[in-house]
Amino acid sequence: MNITIYTRKRSLEADPRLAELSAALERGGHRLYVWDSRTGLPPDTQMLLAVGGDGTFLSSSTIVGDSGIPVLGVNLGRLGFLSENVPEAVAEALARGEYSVEKRTMLRVSGLEASANGPASFPYALNEMTVHRSGAAMLGVDVSINSVPLPTYWADGLLVATSSGSTAYSLSVGGPIVLPESRVLIVSPISPHNLNVRPLVVPDSSEISISFRSRDRKVVFTMDNRTLDVPADSRLEVKMAQFSLNRVRLNNSNFIKALTSKLYWGEDIRNGNE
């Protein structure tokens, strides 16, 4: 197999764990490329290894785009839900064929063409998109789901997350934990001033329209780990992209186990060694 190893930090290329992984993959008959560019890939790439942390995995989604090339996350970072696999497990799992490819929903955002930073070259996100106030004044966010308006959110901002993003920023703003295979989107206010609003879970087939009530001329907009400014009079349309990201999952991967080991979910002295 032709495997491209992608890192965002050149310093990781000197990590001995990555060197050992590369050697093991080559012994297994794989052809390797090392890549640190955020554009393009060697044309015969059959799998991309995103080596680092979840930020590296998110960046890899902009590299593979809609090509369908599967991405395997290798964790040399900190927490790691998307990049959950330790280097020592990867080569052996690939050699034995002990992995599968799962499809992860991508978000598509339209209405960015008039942004102050120019048109968004890759208007897609794997985890979430957010809007934030750019000044001190509170932001009013008008949202409609399939043309049905919701009450205005008065908050620091708003987040729309996929099931993949439920353990990322969405979790920090009080959103629910969602199993990755769930076909839903999560709409959550960020630091709301309304005491009676809660995160909303909608089908991933929903079309979400967003506009603003702001005293400022611009709103800060993010897609995963990318940021740009949009005019406050923008109208954004968010929906599921027509393609998915193919994520490689090793057979020993377990989402619930990851929650308990990485986030200490349900940690309770009464549970003993469960």
Side-chain angles (χ1 to χ4, degrees), residues 122-161:
F122 188 75
Y124 302 95
L126 174 63
N127 269 357
E128 75 276 315
M129 60 119 303
T130 72
V131 290
H132 296 259
R133 59 188 176 97
S134 62
M138 193 178 306
L139 181 66
V141 187
D142 289 318
V143 180
S144 64
I145 309 292
N146 296 330
S147 300
V148 178
L150 304 180
T152 300
Y153 291 99
W154 294 98
D156 282 357
L158 187 86
L159 171 150
V160 179

Side-chain angles (χ1 to χ4, degrees), residues 21 72 74 84-95 98 250 252:
L21 171 60
L72 192 159
V74 182
E84 63 176 326
N85 306 294
V86 295
E88 296 75 16
V90 170
E92 184 175 353
L94 293 182
E98 295 176 348
L250 303 189
N252 63 357

Side-chain angles (χ1 to χ4, degrees), residues 107-108 110 143-150 160 185 187 202-210 235-240 242:
L107 293 176
R108 187 187 191 285
S110 56
V143 180
S144 64
I145 309 292
N146 296 330
S147 300
V148 178
L150 304 180
V160 179
L185 302 178
V187 180
V202 301
D204 68 358
S205 59
S206 301
E207 297 187 6
I208 303 171
S209 178
I210 300 173
R235 185 179 186 87
L236 305 179
E237 305 291 337
V238 184
K239 62 181 180 180
M240 180 176 60
Q242 293 182 326

